[in-house]
Amino acid sequence: RKEVEQDPGPFNVPEGATVAFNCTYSNSASQSFFWYRQDCRKEPKLLMSVYSSGNEDGRFTAQLNRASQYISLLIRDSKLSDSATYLCVVIPFGTNAGKSTFGDGTTLTVKP
Amino acid sequence: DGGITQSPKYLFRKEGQNVTLSCEQNLNHDAMYWYRQDPGQGLRLIYYSQIVNDFQKGDIAEGYSVSREKKESFPLTVTSAQKNPTAFYLCASSMGTQNYGYTFGSGTRLTVV
């Protein structure tokens, strides 16, 4: 079993739809969590951090569920420009903090 | 403008050659990382460095080497021992290893010819 797992998709949704992705992790000693967006053949770009209390940035909401060991990303009112691959990353506590683990990504295509 | 620069953008390597990928940042970040990405897959950690003159192996360090002689620079050498080096290589930096997001360079595409 992979340390970090994402549903690869693809998720094909119409403009204006709400879509949610989950990312599960196996290492309970995980401290920091982030979502990144990666466009085709480009570098990943930080989308948002994920906090236990949940956090929102415009149309995007991220949640962390430590008990069930998953994080989620919700996108409301999808735009064509949201089409991309979304990567989650999990960073462990302590001396292994440099050993981040990325999921393989979830591909989203938003259609007119 | 602060950022992280990788060069070259494209690199072609002959069998048996060592090649070095450059990564420079002017963000004053302490930590730097190298990842490899294969088509349709996520990023896999090759090496990381939390401070100057120190670095640690990631999950797929075999066939690679790094140095961290300066805070700004973290070059990656792909040696001839790496049997399948064709991939997209990404360098990243962060203020620290915990609770900070990463800034990525634009990557180097390495192809073995």
Side-chain angles (χ1 to χ4, degrees):
Chain A
R1 184 189 170 193
K2 290 185 176 182
E3 283 189 50
V4 177
E5 295 203 67
Q6 293 184 251
D7 182 343
F11 284 66
N12 298 307
V13 303
E15 270 187 294
T18 295
V19 61
F21 312 133
N22 281 343
C23 169
T24 59
Y25 61 95
S26 59
N27 183 0
S28 59
S30 296
Q31 175 164 350
S32 306
F33 308 86
F34 300 89
W35 282 102
Y36 283 78
R37 170 197 170 120
Q38 186 175 27
D39 292 295
C40 188
R41 299 180 69 82
K42 299 284 189 180
E43 73 274 21
K45 295 193 175 174
L46 180 63
L47 185 62
M48 57 199 307
S49 306
V50 188
Y51 305 119
S52 297
S53 55
N55 48 306
E56 188 173 310
D57 183 4
R59 297 182 293 108
F60 298 83
T61 300
Q63 295 273 2
L64 165 63
N65 186 318
R66 285 194 183 271
S68 301
Q69 295 185 199
Y70 74 88
I71 62 174
S72 64
L73 178 69
L74 180 78
I75 305 175
R76 290 182 297 278
D77 189 22
S78 299
K79 311 291 184 190
L80 296 176
S81 57
D82 293 334
S83 297
T85 296
Y86 291 84
L87 304 167
C88 63
V89 60
V90 176
I91 299 175
F93 282 110
T95 55
N96 284 327
K99 295 194 76 173
S100 55
T101 302
F102 279 78
D104 287 345
T106 297
T107 299
L108 171 66
T109 302
V110 181
K111 300 189 174 181
Chain B
D1 286 338
I4 183 165
T5 302
Q6 288 187 243
S7 63
K9 193 173 180 69
Y10 299 95
L11 186 57
F12 297 90
R13 190 194 95 168
K14 292 182 180 179
E15 297 275 357
Q17 272 187 339
N18 291 355
V19 291
T20 297
L21 282 59
S22 171
C23 179
E24 304 276 334
Q25 54 98 0
N26 60 4
L27 298 165
N28 200 32
H29 284 173
D30 288 315
M32 296 186 75
Y33 313 81
W34 275 105
Y35 292 91
R36 167 182 173 140
Q37 188 174 35
D38 292 284
Q41 297 188 31
L43 281 64
R44 291 185 290 166
L45 183 64
I46 304 173
Y47 270 97
Y48 66 98
S49 168
Q50 299 182 71
I51 56 171
V52 176
N53 292 321
D54 186 53
F55 50 83
Q56 309 294 330
K57 292 183 179 179
D59 300 316
I60 56 165
E62 187 174 348
Y64 300 98
S65 65
V66 293
S67 63
R68 186 86 188 276
E69 297 175 0
K70 298 186 298 182
K71 188 175 186 177
E72 307 80 42
S73 178
F74 192 40
L76 173 75
T77 296
V78 184
T79 74
S80 57
Q82 171 48 239
K83 297 306 179 190
N84 185 22
T86 295
F88 186 38
Y89 290 87
L90 288 156
C91 180
S93 69
S94 64
M95 287 183 65
T97 49
Q98 289 183 332
N99 302 320
Y100 298 100
Y102 302 162
T103 300
F104 282 88
S106 57
T108 293
R109 293 195 179 275
L110 174 62
T111 304
V112 174
V113 296

